[in-house]
């Protein structure tokens, strides 16, 4: 099936999604890679506030390249998600509802995600095409990290596929 979903993600939105569904996301999402995840986890462990509210949000594991003149974003493709597996549980407790990346996730993380969050995959190698879905982009936090800062993206019809649904069904195991 194909769905058009408005962000932030609602509980109702993710309940209807199943492994393999094509999803076009529109609205606000955030980018965050390894270093940004480490900083957010550190803030949570120290009892500090996060620089962004994660409730019902989607994090895209990406670091955009600098935009060329006249562009909103440079190439913005998914990075390997498994690197964030150990850093994600604390963010899920903050209400994170969705993640976008490439590759599989650990069984331990899938167990924690069950019934709470969904994992989308975006096509790697097509970063320049994904950038066409970015309507607006600005640094939201940790600007000293450059492309690995947290960026607030406004997207329109950002294409991705459900890779792990709420029941724990896994696209990467389905086709092994």
């Amino acid at each position: 099936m194909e769905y058009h979903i408005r962000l932030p993600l609602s509980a109702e939105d993710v309940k209807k999604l199943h492994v393999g569904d094509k999803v076009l996301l529109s609205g606000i999402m955030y980018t965050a890679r390894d270093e940004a995840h480490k900083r957010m986890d550190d803030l949570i462990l120290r009892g500090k506030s996060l620089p962004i509210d994660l409730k019902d949000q989607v994090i895209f594991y990406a670091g955009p390249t600098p935009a060329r003149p006249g562009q909103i974003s440079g190439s913005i493709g998914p990075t390997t998600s498994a690197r964030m597996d150990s850093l994600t549980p604390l963010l899920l407790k903050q209400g994170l509802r969705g993640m976008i990346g490439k590759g599989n996730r650990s069984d331990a993380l899938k167990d924690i995600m069950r019934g709470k969050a969904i994992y989308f995959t975006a096509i790697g190698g097509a970063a320049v095409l994904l950038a066409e879905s970015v309507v607006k982009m600005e640094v939201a936090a940790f600007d000293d990290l450059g492309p690995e800062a947290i960026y607030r993206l406004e997207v329109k019809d950002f294409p991705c596929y459900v890779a792990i649904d709420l029941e724990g069904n896994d696209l990467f195991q389905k086709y092994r």
Side-chain angles (χ1 to χ4, degrees):
M1 304 237 14
E2 181 174 299
Y3 294 94
H4 291 263
I5 298 212
R6 188 92 190 129
L7 299 173
L9 282 176
S10 70
E12 295 76 32
D13 287 334
V14 296
K15 283 180 185 173
K16 66 184 174 188
L17 298 175
H18 301 284
V19 164
D21 288 344
K22 181 178 182 181
V23 181
L24 298 173
L25 299 172
S26 296
I28 303 299
M29 70 169 71
Y30 293 92
T31 66
R33 291 181 48 142
D34 312 56
E35 289 304 315
H37 273 69
K38 289 175 189 173
R39 286 193 187 180
M40 287 191 288
D41 273 10
D42 181 59
L43 288 171
I44 294 167
L45 291 171
R46 292 188 297 129
K48 305 281 185 183
S49 296
L50 291 178
I52 58 173
D53 181 4
L54 292 178
K55 177 106 173 80
D56 298 331
Q57 294 300 329
V58 171
I59 289 182
F60 179 25
Y61 302 139
T65 63
R68 291 184 179 178
Q71 292 181 323
I72 295 167
S73 171
S75 295
I76 186 165
T79 195
T80 304
S81 302
R83 294 196 323 257
M84 268 55 79
D85 283 3
S86 66
L87 302 166
T88 300
L90 288 176
L91 303 183
L92 291 170
K93 288 181 180 178
Q94 301 296 309
L96 180 66
R97 190 169 311 267
M99 298 149 282
I100 304 170
K102 68 178 181 183
N104 59 345
R105 308 306 295 266
S106 68
D107 289 338
L109 182 62
K110 285 191 294 187
D111 287 342
I112 294 167
M113 289 172 52
R114 192 179 305 268
K116 297 177 195 154
I118 194 163
Y119 172 57
F120 300 101
T121 190
I123 307 294
V128 80
L129 296 176
L130 293 177
E132 293 176 2
S133 294
V134 178
V135 176
K136 186 176 179 183
M137 180 174 83
E138 60 192 21
V139 174
F142 311 139
D143 61 343
D144 62 303
L145 294 178
E148 289 205 28
I150 296 176
Y151 285 85
R152 181 183 185 272
L153 303 179
E154 182 178 339
V155 297
K156 184 174 187 305
D157 294 333
F158 184 93
C160 54
Y161 295 85
V162 176
I164 300 173
D165 61 26
L166 287 181
E167 288 81 41
N169 300 310
D170 186 335
L171 181 70
F172 297 100
Q173 288 184 341
K174 181 177 180 180
Y175 294 106
R176 277 190 185 169

